[in-house]
Amino acid sequence: MGTRTVLVFLLPLTVMVAISQQLPIAVIIGLVGWTMWYARRRQRMAAARGFQTV
């Protein structure tokens, strides 16, 4: 079952409507943040090994 399916049964409808509208934005922000963190981590690892990074 998807997260939304579970939340529909656990939360009141008005709360779920509000969450459902904000969920895609939160996912995008989370993915952008994770990508930035991972890129910095890879750059540090490459620099520690002596590789040139762009």
Side-chain angles (χ1 to χ4, degrees), residues 3-50:
T3 303
R4 289 183 187 190
T5 306
V6 173
L7 290 176
V8 164
F9 290 109
L10 295 176
L11 299 173
L13 184 59
T14 55
V15 173
M16 190 52 210
V17 168
I19 290 174
S20 183
Q21 291 174 350
Q22 301 303 319
L23 194 58
I25 296 168
V27 168
I28 291 171
I29 290 170
L31 287 173
V32 168
W34 180 82
T35 300
M36 291 171 59
W37 168 81
Y38 187 74
R40 286 189 207 120
R41 179 176 172 249
R42 294 290 294 177
Q43 282 182 331
R44 284 193 309 267
M45 289 173 61
R49 292 182 180 161

